[in-house]
Amino acid sequence: MKRKRVKFWLKGFLISLLVLLAGWVVYTYSAWYLMCRGVLHLTGLYTIDSLLDGSIVKFVEAARYLFLPSLTLGLMLSGVFIRLTRSNMLETLRLDFVTAARARGLKESSVVYGYALRNAFLPILTMMGLQFAMLLGGAILTETTFSWPGLGRYLVDRINFRDYTAIQGAVILFGILVAFVNLVVDILYAYLDPRIRF
Amino acid sequence: MTVEYQTRRGDIRAVNNVSFTLEEGEMLGLVGESGSGKSTLGLSIIRLVPHPGVIVSGHLRIDGTDILNLSEKEMRGIRGKKVAFIFQDPMTSLSPVKKIGAHFVELIRTHEPNISEKEALKRAKTTLNDVGILPERINDYPHQFSGGMRQRIMIALAIALSPDLIIADEPTTALDVIVQAKILDLLKSLRDTYGMALILITHDLSIVLERCDKILVMYGGSFVEYADNKELHGNPIHPYTRGLLRSIPNIELAEQKLEAIQGSPPDLLSPPEGCHFWPRCSFAKKQCRMERPTIVEFGPGHLVRCFKEAERF
């Protein structure tokens, strides 16, 4: 609950701050509509569509719309990862092989990234898989506030219309995405840690 | 050399004014109980005393250069290249996510950047062969090796750049006795082939007596006795050294009960006044409780910190 409150606060804060201070972040649906007139509509992903259209200018435009919602979503989730990475790194940096690597005269950067971070990464990866579901949940709220015509807002719209078939479709798609991401995470385990074999 | 752990409850003097010299090709045994500061002394030689340890004072010269004055970058050039370290627990001393070969390539190319990866791997294979690991296994991961084999790999990593000095911090504590003897013999034969100096840190005096040229006994962070192997074995002066020697089982005197040294090591936060050993020493006199004995030279190269000896002169 707390995190949701943070997110709502963040959104309000970011909208006012960024729009007031840096006028270049356009964010309303109407502005988006103006921009997208005349853009090829193939995948429905505006950044990709504009690229397929061969227009860099439109791509930059589309990316600008994405900036603020992405920042909101990312900031919310980053807290979990910052804390997890910190505690895991502190634990790993105390292990023998880190000292042994230092005793071999390796650079501090390769000790920290090559030895400590790689070994501390497994739990972080697990959390990434789990948090992906949170990300999709967050997307529903974020898209609604930012008027971004995405899957999340589509779901909210359809709920308002009691359009059960559409709701089912969206929910199943979300479910498939979460399952798929977690499958990829599981496969990545074996790549990151040679002790894990399936 | 003096090393302190600066903790909230006060400074712990883990290594108190210990000094020694080591010639090329010599093997020094560093003996002491747990907590006597021997590992700290070993780590301070490569300036890797863990937080909150600080080298308070002292000099550490390798080939004449005082490494305590070097920058951190210059120090990295020494670690692994001139002074190599072998750790106590081989099970955790290799990164579990890196291949054996990758450990070698990284080490060799850090210190000699011009060497290609292929050549580094080739050198790694020869070194592995030297320590009795099949060179084909270079692409295996640490978890595919047993403890003894991993310690061999650690030794191979240590000798890969033919350093001048190898510090082995209880290299066999985590291994069983048979592997222990093999590893120690391996270290000794490598010493004979490559001619590097070797410091063997251990709490097991019998290991040291079997293999080392010189022996340094530490107690409670302080220097206790330093002598040649033969001299120390035949003519131990300090009551602590004598106690250690008496506590080694002897097969010819199987009937005899083993003697243990009474008491436990001192709390270094508040070490006893005077000689650190007096509460456990059967020869302790009033003077031992009041003053700290100085180091006296008993014979050529035989140094002792004890009043008992000073009296003889």
Side-chain angles (χ1 to χ4, degrees), chain A residues 95-111 113-116 118-119 190-197, chain B residues 43 46 48 75-77 79-81 83-85 87 89 92-98 102-103 106-107 110-111 141 143 154 157:
Chain A
L95 293 180
D96 282 351
F97 60 82
V98 175
T99 319
R102 285 212 183 99
R104 266 179 258 132
L106 303 186
K107 266 186 251 127
E108 192 60 21
S109 60
S110 42
V111 172
Y113 295 107
Y115 283 78
R118 249 202 98 180
N119 280 287
Y191 172 75
L192 274 177
D193 190 341
R195 283 168 299 183
I196 299 171
R197 284 285 167 268
Chain B
L43 282 170
I46 49 172
L48 274 182
M75 195 57 224
R76 282 204 299 268
R79 291 179 198 137
K81 171 89 182 150
V83 182
F85 209 99
F87 287 86
D89 188 359
T92 55
S93 294
L94 292 158
S95 169
V97 299
K98 272 186 198 296
H103 283 91
E106 201 174 16
L107 169 73
T110 305
H111 293 284
Y141 287 96
H143 69 275
M154 287 308 289
L157 274 169

Short mmCIF file of all heavy atoms in Angstrom, two decimals, chain A residues 95-111 113-116 118-119 190-197, chain B residues 43 46 48 75-77 79-81 83-85 87 89 92-98 102-103 106-107 110-111 141 143 154 157:
data_model
loop_
_atom_site.label_atom_id
_atom_site.label_comp_id
_atom_site.label_asym_id
_atom_site.label_seq_id
_atom_site.Cartn_x
_atom_site.Cartn_y
_atom_site.Cartn_z
N LEU A 95 33.21 -12.39 1.38
CA LEU A 95 33.59 -13.79 1.14
C LEU A 95 35.06 -13.91 0.80
O LEU A 95 35.72 -12.97 0.37
CB LEU A 95 32.74 -14.37 0.01
CG LEU A 95 31.25 -14.52 0.34
CD1 LEU A 95 30.51 -15.11 -0.83
CD2 LEU A 95 31.07 -15.40 1.57
N ASP A 96 35.54 -15.14 0.97
CA ASP A 96 36.98 -15.40 0.81
C ASP A 96 37.48 -15.11 -0.60
O ASP A 96 38.56 -14.57 -0.78
CB ASP A 96 37.28 -16.87 1.13
CG ASP A 96 37.31 -17.10 2.62
OD1 ASP A 96 37.27 -16.10 3.36
OD2 ASP A 96 37.36 -18.27 3.03
N PHE A 97 36.68 -15.48 -1.60
CA PHE A 97 37.24 -15.35 -2.95
C PHE A 97 37.41 -13.89 -3.36
O PHE A 97 38.20 -13.59 -4.24
CB PHE A 97 36.43 -16.15 -3.99
CG PHE A 97 35.00 -15.73 -4.13
CD1 PHE A 97 34.65 -14.65 -4.90
CD2 PHE A 97 34.00 -16.46 -3.50
CE1 PHE A 97 33.34 -14.28 -5.04
CE2 PHE A 97 32.68 -16.10 -3.65
CZ PHE A 97 32.35 -15.00 -4.41
N VAL A 98 36.68 -13.01 -2.71
CA VAL A 98 36.87 -11.58 -2.99
C VAL A 98 38.22 -11.13 -2.44
O VAL A 98 39.00 -10.47 -3.13
CB VAL A 98 35.72 -10.75 -2.40
CG1 VAL A 98 35.98 -9.27 -2.57
CG2 VAL A 98 34.41 -11.13 -3.06
N THR A 99 38.52 -11.52 -1.20
CA THR A 99 39.83 -11.21 -0.62
C THR A 99 40.93 -11.86 -1.45
O THR A 99 41.97 -11.26 -1.72
CB THR A 99 39.92 -11.74 0.82
OG1 THR A 99 38.69 -11.49 1.47
CG2 THR A 99 41.04 -11.07 1.57
N ALA A 100 40.67 -13.12 -1.87
CA ALA A 100 41.68 -13.82 -2.67
C ALA A 100 41.93 -13.09 -3.99
O ALA A 100 43.07 -12.99 -4.43
CB ALA A 100 41.23 -15.26 -2.94
N ALA A 101 40.86 -12.57 -4.58
CA ALA A 101 41.03 -11.83 -5.84
C ALA A 101 41.85 -10.57 -5.60
O ALA A 101 42.72 -10.21 -6.39
CB ALA A 101 39.67 -11.48 -6.43
N ARG A 102 41.57 -9.89 -4.48
CA ARG A 102 42.37 -8.70 -4.15
C ARG A 102 43.82 -9.07 -3.94
O ARG A 102 44.72 -8.36 -4.36
CB ARG A 102 41.84 -8.06 -2.87
CG ARG A 102 40.56 -7.32 -3.08
CD ARG A 102 40.45 -6.14 -2.14
NE ARG A 102 39.16 -5.51 -2.34
CZ ARG A 102 38.11 -5.73 -1.54
NH1 ARG A 102 38.22 -6.50 -0.49
NH2 ARG A 102 36.97 -5.14 -1.79
N ALA A 103 44.04 -10.22 -3.27
CA ALA A 103 45.41 -10.65 -2.98
C ALA A 103 46.16 -10.99 -4.25
O ALA A 103 47.37 -11.09 -4.25
CB ALA A 103 45.39 -11.85 -2.05
N ARG A 104 45.43 -11.19 -5.36
CA ARG A 104 46.10 -11.46 -6.62
C ARG A 104 46.38 -10.16 -7.38
O ARG A 104 46.85 -10.20 -8.52
CB ARG A 104 45.23 -12.38 -7.48
CG ARG A 104 45.61 -13.84 -7.28
CD ARG A 104 44.75 -14.74 -8.11
NE ARG A 104 43.72 -15.35 -7.30
CZ ARG A 104 42.44 -15.40 -7.61
NH1 ARG A 104 42.01 -14.85 -8.73
NH2 ARG A 104 41.59 -15.99 -6.83
N GLY A 105 46.07 -9.05 -6.76
CA GLY A 105 46.42 -7.78 -7.36
C GLY A 105 45.48 -7.31 -8.45
O GLY A 105 45.84 -6.46 -9.26
N LEU A 106 44.25 -7.86 -8.48
CA LEU A 106 43.31 -7.42 -9.51
C LEU A 106 42.80 -6.02 -9.17
O LEU A 106 42.80 -5.61 -8.02
CB LEU A 106 42.12 -8.39 -9.58
CG LEU A 106 42.48 -9.84 -9.85
CD1 LEU A 106 41.21 -10.65 -10.03
CD2 LEU A 106 43.35 -9.98 -11.08
N LYS A 107 42.36 -5.33 -10.22
CA LYS A 107 41.84 -3.98 -10.02
C LYS A 107 40.57 -4.04 -9.18
O LYS A 107 39.80 -4.98 -9.27
CB LYS A 107 41.53 -3.34 -11.38
CG LYS A 107 42.68 -2.52 -11.90
CD LYS A 107 42.25 -1.79 -13.16
CE LYS A 107 42.93 -2.37 -14.35
NZ LYS A 107 42.10 -2.77 -15.44
N GLU A 108 40.37 -2.98 -8.39
CA GLU A 108 39.21 -2.96 -7.51
C GLU A 108 37.92 -3.08 -8.32
O GLU A 108 36.98 -3.74 -7.91
CB GLU A 108 39.22 -1.67 -6.68
CG GLU A 108 38.23 -1.64 -5.54
CD GLU A 108 38.42 -2.74 -4.50
OE1 GLU A 108 39.53 -3.30 -4.43
OE2 GLU A 108 37.46 -3.06 -3.80
N SER A 109 37.90 -2.47 -9.51
CA SER A 109 36.68 -2.54 -10.32
C SER A 109 36.41 -3.97 -10.76
O SER A 109 35.26 -4.42 -10.74
CB SER A 109 36.79 -1.61 -11.52
OG SER A 109 37.88 -1.99 -12.33
N SER A 110 37.45 -4.72 -11.15
CA SER A 110 37.16 -6.09 -11.57
C SER A 110 36.85 -6.99 -10.39
O SER A 110 36.13 -7.97 -10.53
CB SER A 110 38.28 -6.67 -12.44
OG SER A 110 39.54 -6.35 -11.95
N VAL A 111 37.36 -6.62 -9.21
CA VAL A 111 36.99 -7.40 -8.02
C VAL A 111 35.51 -7.18 -7.71
O VAL A 111 34.75 -8.12 -7.51
CB VAL A 111 37.85 -6.99 -6.81
CG1 VAL A 111 37.33 -7.66 -5.55
CG2 VAL A 111 39.30 -7.36 -7.02
N TYR A 113 32.99 -5.80 -9.69
CA TYR A 113 32.02 -6.19 -10.71
C TYR A 113 32.18 -7.65 -11.14
O TYR A 113 31.22 -8.39 -11.26
CB TYR A 113 32.10 -5.26 -11.92
CG TYR A 113 31.70 -3.86 -11.56
CD1 TYR A 113 32.63 -2.84 -11.46
CD2 TYR A 113 30.37 -3.57 -11.27
CE1 TYR A 113 32.27 -1.56 -11.09
CE2 TYR A 113 29.98 -2.30 -10.89
CZ TYR A 113 30.94 -1.30 -10.81
OH TYR A 113 30.56 -0.05 -10.42
N GLY A 114 33.43 -8.06 -11.37
CA GLY A 114 33.65 -9.40 -11.89
C GLY A 114 33.45 -10.49 -10.85
O GLY A 114 32.97 -11.57 -11.17
N TYR A 115 33.81 -10.21 -9.61
CA TYR A 115 33.70 -11.26 -8.59
C TYR A 115 32.47 -11.07 -7.72
O TYR A 115 31.63 -11.96 -7.62
CB TYR A 115 34.97 -11.28 -7.72
CG TYR A 115 36.13 -11.95 -8.41
CD1 TYR A 115 36.86 -11.28 -9.37
CD2 TYR A 115 36.46 -13.26 -8.12
CE1 TYR A 115 37.90 -11.89 -10.04
CE2 TYR A 115 37.51 -13.89 -8.78
CZ TYR A 115 38.22 -13.20 -9.72
OH TYR A 115 39.25 -13.82 -10.38
N ALA A 116 32.36 -9.89 -7.10
CA ALA A 116 31.28 -9.71 -6.13
C ALA A 116 29.91 -9.61 -6.81
O ALA A 116 28.99 -10.36 -6.49
CB ALA A 116 31.55 -8.48 -5.27
N ARG A 118 28.81 -10.41 -9.78
CA ARG A 118 28.32 -11.59 -10.50
C ARG A 118 27.81 -12.65 -9.55
O ARG A 118 26.84 -13.35 -9.85
CB ARG A 118 29.44 -12.18 -11.37
CG ARG A 118 29.16 -11.98 -12.84
CD ARG A 118 29.90 -12.94 -13.70
NE ARG A 118 29.09 -14.07 -14.09
CZ ARG A 118 29.57 -15.04 -14.86
NH1 ARG A 118 30.81 -15.01 -15.27
NH2 ARG A 118 28.80 -16.04 -15.18
N ASN A 119 28.45 -12.77 -8.42
CA ASN A 119 28.00 -13.77 -7.46
C ASN A 119 26.79 -13.30 -6.66
O ASN A 119 26.04 -14.10 -6.13
CB ASN A 119 29.14 -14.15 -6.52
CG ASN A 119 30.07 -15.14 -7.17
OD1 ASN A 119 29.74 -16.29 -7.33
ND2 ASN A 119 31.24 -14.67 -7.58
N ALA A 190 20.99 -20.65 -14.99
CA ALA A 190 22.00 -21.64 -15.40
C ALA A 190 23.15 -20.95 -16.11
O ALA A 190 24.30 -21.37 -16.00
CB ALA A 190 21.36 -22.67 -16.32
N TYR A 191 22.84 -19.86 -16.82
CA TYR A 191 23.90 -19.14 -17.50
C TYR A 191 24.79 -18.40 -16.49
O TYR A 191 26.01 -18.38 -16.62
CB TYR A 191 23.29 -18.16 -18.50
CG TYR A 191 24.29 -17.22 -19.12
CD1 TYR A 191 25.16 -17.67 -20.11
CD2 TYR A 191 24.37 -15.91 -18.69
CE1 TYR A 191 26.08 -16.82 -20.66
CE2 TYR A 191 25.29 -15.04 -19.24
CZ TYR A 191 26.15 -15.50 -20.22
OH TYR A 191 27.07 -14.66 -20.75
N LEU A 192 24.17 -17.81 -15.47
CA LEU A 192 24.92 -17.01 -14.50
C LEU A 192 25.69 -17.87 -13.51
O LEU A 192 26.77 -17.52 -13.10
CB LEU A 192 23.96 -16.11 -13.73
CG LEU A 192 23.62 -14.78 -14.37
CD1 LEU A 192 22.61 -14.04 -13.53
CD2 LEU A 192 24.87 -13.93 -14.51
N ASP A 193 25.09 -18.97 -13.11
CA ASP A 193 25.75 -19.81 -12.10
C ASP A 193 25.93 -21.21 -12.65
O ASP A 193 24.97 -21.96 -12.79
CB ASP A 193 24.88 -19.84 -10.83
CG ASP A 193 25.64 -20.49 -9.69
OD1 ASP A 193 26.63 -21.19 -9.96
OD2 ASP A 193 25.24 -20.29 -8.53
N PRO A 194 27.17 -21.58 -12.94
CA PRO A 194 27.44 -22.88 -13.55
C PRO A 194 27.06 -24.05 -12.66
O PRO A 194 26.97 -25.18 -13.13
CB PRO A 194 28.94 -22.86 -13.81
CG PRO A 194 29.47 -21.82 -12.90
CD PRO A 194 28.39 -20.80 -12.75
N ARG A 195 26.84 -23.80 -11.37
CA ARG A 195 26.48 -24.91 -10.50
C ARG A 195 25.04 -25.35 -10.72
O ARG A 195 24.63 -26.42 -10.33
CB ARG A 195 26.65 -24.50 -9.04
CG ARG A 195 28.10 -24.51 -8.61
CD ARG A 195 28.27 -23.82 -7.29
NE ARG A 195 27.86 -22.42 -7.37
CZ ARG A 195 27.96 -21.57 -6.37
NH1 ARG A 195 28.44 -21.98 -5.24
NH2 ARG A 195 27.59 -20.31 -6.52
N ILE A 196 24.24 -24.46 -11.36
CA ILE A 196 22.85 -24.80 -11.61
C ILE A 196 22.73 -25.40 -13.00
O ILE A 196 23.13 -24.79 -13.99
CB ILE A 196 21.96 -23.54 -11.50
CG1 ILE A 196 22.07 -22.97 -10.09
CG2 ILE A 196 20.53 -23.88 -11.85
CD1 ILE A 196 21.41 -21.63 -9.93
N ARG A 197 22.23 -26.62 -13.07
CA ARG A 197 21.99 -27.26 -14.37
C ARG A 197 20.61 -27.86 -14.37
O ARG A 197 20.17 -28.41 -13.36
CB ARG A 197 23.04 -28.35 -14.62
CG ARG A 197 24.41 -27.81 -15.01
CD ARG A 197 24.39 -27.31 -16.46
NE ARG A 197 25.56 -26.51 -16.79
CZ ARG A 197 25.62 -25.19 -16.69
NH1 ARG A 197 24.58 -24.52 -16.24
NH2 ARG A 197 26.70 -24.53 -17.02
N LEU B 43 48.49 -11.10 6.44
CA LEU B 43 47.72 -10.21 5.57
C LEU B 43 48.34 -8.83 5.49
O LEU B 43 48.24 -8.16 4.46
CB LEU B 43 46.28 -10.10 6.06
CG LEU B 43 45.38 -11.29 5.71
CD1 LEU B 43 44.06 -11.17 6.46
CD2 LEU B 43 45.11 -11.35 4.22
N ILE B 46 50.74 -8.06 2.60
CA ILE B 46 50.24 -7.58 1.31
C ILE B 46 49.27 -6.41 1.51
O ILE B 46 48.51 -6.05 0.63
CB ILE B 46 49.57 -8.69 0.48
CG1 ILE B 46 48.56 -9.46 1.33
CG2 ILE B 46 50.61 -9.62 -0.11
CD1 ILE B 46 47.74 -10.42 0.54
N LEU B 48 46.51 -6.10 3.20
CA LEU B 48 45.09 -6.40 3.05
C LEU B 48 44.45 -6.74 4.40
O LEU B 48 43.55 -7.55 4.48
CB LEU B 48 44.90 -7.58 2.10
CG LEU B 48 44.83 -7.26 0.62
CD1 LEU B 48 44.60 -8.51 -0.19
CD2 LEU B 48 43.74 -6.26 0.32
N MET B 75 50.81 -1.03 -5.13
CA MET B 75 50.63 -2.19 -4.26
C MET B 75 49.98 -3.34 -5.03
O MET B 75 50.34 -4.50 -4.86
CB MET B 75 49.75 -1.76 -3.09
CG MET B 75 49.76 -2.71 -1.92
SD MET B 75 51.38 -3.00 -1.26
CE MET B 75 51.32 -4.77 -1.06
N ARG B 76 49.02 -2.99 -5.91
CA ARG B 76 48.37 -4.04 -6.71
C ARG B 76 49.36 -4.75 -7.59
O ARG B 76 49.22 -5.93 -7.88
CB ARG B 76 47.25 -3.43 -7.56
CG ARG B 76 46.00 -3.16 -6.80
CD ARG B 76 44.81 -3.13 -7.72
NE ARG B 76 44.92 -2.09 -8.73
CZ ARG B 76 44.43 -0.86 -8.58
NH1 ARG B 76 43.79 -0.55 -7.49
NH2 ARG B 76 44.57 0.03 -9.53
N GLY B 77 50.40 -4.01 -8.03
CA GLY B 77 51.43 -4.62 -8.84
C GLY B 77 52.26 -5.64 -8.06
O GLY B 77 52.85 -6.53 -8.63
N ARG B 79 50.98 -7.40 -5.27
CA ARG B 79 50.12 -8.54 -4.93
C ARG B 79 49.98 -9.46 -6.13
O ARG B 79 49.67 -9.03 -7.23
CB ARG B 79 48.72 -8.06 -4.54
CG ARG B 79 48.68 -7.33 -3.25
CD ARG B 79 47.25 -6.89 -2.96
NE ARG B 79 47.26 -5.85 -1.96
CZ ARG B 79 46.51 -4.76 -2.02
NH1 ARG B 79 45.69 -4.58 -3.03
NH2 ARG B 79 46.58 -3.86 -1.07
N GLY B 80 50.22 -10.73 -5.90
CA GLY B 80 50.05 -11.70 -6.98
C GLY B 80 51.29 -11.82 -7.83
O GLY B 80 51.62 -12.90 -8.31
N LYS B 81 52.00 -10.71 -8.03
CA LYS B 81 53.18 -10.74 -8.89
C LYS B 81 54.45 -11.03 -8.09
O LYS B 81 55.26 -11.86 -8.45
CB LYS B 81 53.28 -9.39 -9.60
CG LYS B 81 54.56 -9.17 -10.36
CD LYS B 81 54.44 -9.69 -11.77
CE LYS B 81 55.76 -9.50 -12.49
NZ LYS B 81 55.98 -10.51 -13.51
N VAL B 83 54.34 -11.01 -4.35
CA VAL B 83 53.93 -11.73 -3.14
C VAL B 83 52.59 -12.38 -3.42
O VAL B 83 51.63 -11.70 -3.77
CB VAL B 83 53.79 -10.77 -1.94
CG1 VAL B 83 53.41 -11.56 -0.70
CG2 VAL B 83 55.07 -10.01 -1.72
N ALA B 84 52.53 -13.69 -3.29
CA ALA B 84 51.27 -14.38 -3.52
C ALA B 84 50.76 -14.93 -2.20
O ALA B 84 51.53 -15.19 -1.29
CB ALA B 84 51.44 -15.51 -4.52
N PHE B 85 49.45 -15.07 -2.12
CA PHE B 85 48.83 -15.49 -0.86
C PHE B 85 47.98 -16.73 -1.11
O PHE B 85 47.24 -16.80 -2.07
CB PHE B 85 47.95 -14.34 -0.35
CG PHE B 85 47.81 -14.31 1.14
CD1 PHE B 85 48.58 -13.46 1.89
CD2 PHE B 85 46.91 -15.14 1.77
CE1 PHE B 85 48.45 -13.42 3.28
CE2 PHE B 85 46.78 -15.12 3.15
CZ PHE B 85 47.55 -14.26 3.91
N PHE B 87 45.07 -19.03 0.72
CA PHE B 87 44.16 -18.89 1.85
C PHE B 87 43.82 -20.22 2.50
O PHE B 87 44.08 -21.28 1.97
CB PHE B 87 42.89 -18.18 1.41
CG PHE B 87 43.11 -16.73 1.17
CD1 PHE B 87 43.57 -16.27 -0.05
CD2 PHE B 87 42.90 -15.81 2.18
CE1 PHE B 87 43.81 -14.93 -0.26
CE2 PHE B 87 43.14 -14.48 1.98
CZ PHE B 87 43.58 -14.04 0.76
N ASP B 89 40.80 -21.63 3.37
CA ASP B 89 39.72 -22.51 2.94
C ASP B 89 39.62 -22.55 1.42
O ASP B 89 39.12 -21.63 0.81
CB ASP B 89 38.39 -22.00 3.54
CG ASP B 89 37.27 -22.99 3.28
OD1 ASP B 89 37.54 -24.02 2.65
OD2 ASP B 89 36.14 -22.72 3.71
N THR B 92 36.17 -21.96 -0.63
CA THR B 92 35.53 -20.67 -0.88
C THR B 92 36.49 -19.64 -1.48
O THR B 92 36.16 -18.48 -1.59
CB THR B 92 34.96 -20.09 0.43
OG1 THR B 92 36.03 -20.03 1.38
CG2 THR B 92 33.87 -20.96 0.98
N SER B 93 37.69 -20.09 -1.84
CA SER B 93 38.67 -19.11 -2.30
C SER B 93 38.65 -18.86 -3.81
O SER B 93 39.37 -18.01 -4.31
CB SER B 93 40.09 -19.54 -1.90
OG SER B 93 40.20 -19.52 -0.51
N LEU B 94 37.86 -19.65 -4.53
CA LEU B 94 37.73 -19.43 -5.97
C LEU B 94 36.31 -18.97 -6.26
O LEU B 94 35.36 -19.46 -5.65
CB LEU B 94 38.01 -20.73 -6.73
CG LEU B 94 39.45 -21.25 -6.68
CD1 LEU B 94 39.48 -22.73 -6.97
CD2 LEU B 94 40.31 -20.51 -7.66
N SER B 95 36.19 -18.04 -7.20
CA SER B 95 34.85 -17.55 -7.54
C SER B 95 34.06 -18.68 -8.20
O SER B 95 34.48 -19.22 -9.22
CB SER B 95 34.95 -16.36 -8.47
OG SER B 95 33.68 -16.08 -8.99
N PRO B 96 32.90 -19.06 -7.64
CA PRO B 96 32.16 -20.21 -8.16
C PRO B 96 31.62 -20.02 -9.57
O PRO B 96 31.27 -21.00 -10.21
CB PRO B 96 31.02 -20.39 -7.15
CG PRO B 96 30.93 -19.11 -6.42
CD PRO B 96 32.29 -18.50 -6.43
N VAL B 97 31.55 -18.79 -10.06
CA VAL B 97 30.96 -18.60 -11.38
C VAL B 97 32.02 -18.44 -12.48
O VAL B 97 31.68 -18.20 -13.63
CB VAL B 97 30.02 -17.37 -11.42
CG1 VAL B 97 28.88 -17.57 -10.45
CG2 VAL B 97 30.77 -16.10 -11.12
N LYS B 98 33.29 -18.57 -12.11
CA LYS B 98 34.34 -18.42 -13.12
C LYS B 98 35.03 -19.74 -13.37
O LYS B 98 35.29 -20.50 -12.44
CB LYS B 98 35.37 -17.41 -12.62
CG LYS B 98 35.03 -15.98 -12.96
CD LYS B 98 36.20 -15.11 -12.54
CE LYS B 98 35.85 -13.66 -12.43
NZ LYS B 98 35.45 -12.98 -13.60
N ALA B 102 39.70 -18.90 -16.43
CA ALA B 102 39.43 -17.47 -16.36
C ALA B 102 40.17 -16.82 -15.18
O ALA B 102 40.65 -15.69 -15.30
CB ALA B 102 37.93 -17.22 -16.23
N HIS B 103 40.28 -17.56 -14.07
CA HIS B 103 41.03 -17.04 -12.93
C HIS B 103 42.48 -16.76 -13.34
O HIS B 103 43.06 -15.75 -12.99
CB HIS B 103 41.04 -18.05 -11.78
CG HIS B 103 39.76 -18.09 -11.00
ND1 HIS B 103 38.74 -18.94 -11.32
CD2 HIS B 103 39.36 -17.40 -9.92
CE1 HIS B 103 37.76 -18.77 -10.45
NE2 HIS B 103 38.09 -17.83 -9.59
N GLU B 106 42.87 -13.86 -16.02
CA GLU B 106 42.70 -12.56 -15.39
C GLU B 106 43.95 -12.15 -14.62
O GLU B 106 44.43 -11.03 -14.72
CB GLU B 106 41.49 -12.60 -14.46
CG GLU B 106 40.93 -11.25 -14.17
CD GLU B 106 39.65 -11.35 -13.37
OE1 GLU B 106 39.39 -12.43 -12.79
OE2 GLU B 106 38.93 -10.37 -13.31
N LEU B 107 44.47 -13.13 -13.86
CA LEU B 107 45.68 -12.85 -13.06
C LEU B 107 46.85 -12.49 -13.96
O LEU B 107 47.53 -11.47 -13.76
CB LEU B 107 46.02 -14.08 -12.22
CG LEU B 107 47.39 -14.07 -11.54
CD1 LEU B 107 47.38 -13.10 -10.37
CD2 LEU B 107 47.78 -15.45 -11.07
N THR B 110 46.37 -9.18 -15.89
CA THR B 110 46.41 -7.97 -15.05
C THR B 110 47.85 -7.51 -14.86
O THR B 110 48.16 -6.33 -14.92
CB THR B 110 45.80 -8.25 -13.66
OG1 THR B 110 44.50 -8.78 -13.85
CG2 THR B 110 45.72 -6.98 -12.83
N HIS B 111 48.73 -8.49 -14.67
CA HIS B 111 50.11 -8.12 -14.37
C HIS B 111 50.98 -8.01 -15.61
O HIS B 111 51.97 -7.31 -15.61
CB HIS B 111 50.71 -9.11 -13.38
CG HIS B 111 50.07 -9.03 -12.04
ND1 HIS B 111 50.34 -8.02 -11.16
CD2 HIS B 111 49.15 -9.80 -11.43
CE1 HIS B 111 49.62 -8.17 -10.06
NE2 HIS B 111 48.89 -9.25 -10.20
N TYR B 141 34.69 -25.70 -13.77
CA TYR B 141 34.38 -24.72 -12.74
C TYR B 141 34.86 -25.23 -11.37
O TYR B 141 34.99 -26.44 -11.18
CB TYR B 141 32.87 -24.47 -12.70
CG TYR B 141 32.38 -23.67 -13.88
CD1 TYR B 141 31.86 -24.31 -15.00
CD2 TYR B 141 32.47 -22.29 -13.87
CE1 TYR B 141 31.41 -23.58 -16.08
CE2 TYR B 141 32.02 -21.56 -14.95
CZ TYR B 141 31.49 -22.20 -16.06
OH TYR B 141 31.06 -21.48 -17.11
N HIS B 143 33.46 -25.83 -8.62
CA HIS B 143 32.67 -26.82 -7.88
C HIS B 143 32.89 -28.23 -8.40
O HIS B 143 32.43 -29.20 -7.80
CB HIS B 143 31.19 -26.46 -7.92
CG HIS B 143 30.55 -26.62 -9.28
ND1 HIS B 143 30.61 -25.63 -10.23
CD2 HIS B 143 29.90 -27.66 -9.83
CE1 HIS B 143 29.98 -26.06 -11.31
NE2 HIS B 143 29.55 -27.28 -11.11
N MET B 154 44.71 -23.21 -6.14
CA MET B 154 45.11 -21.96 -5.48
C MET B 154 46.63 -21.82 -5.49
O MET B 154 47.16 -20.72 -5.70
CB MET B 154 44.62 -21.93 -4.02
CG MET B 154 43.13 -21.71 -3.85
SD MET B 154 42.51 -20.29 -4.73
CE MET B 154 43.20 -18.96 -3.76
N LEU B 157 47.70 -20.85 -8.89
CA LEU B 157 47.47 -19.41 -9.09
C LEU B 157 48.57 -18.60 -8.40
O LEU B 157 48.99 -17.56 -8.91
CB LEU B 157 46.12 -19.01 -8.52
CG LEU B 157 44.90 -19.18 -9.42
CD1 LEU B 157 43.63 -19.01 -8.62
CD2 LEU B 157 44.94 -18.18 -10.56
#
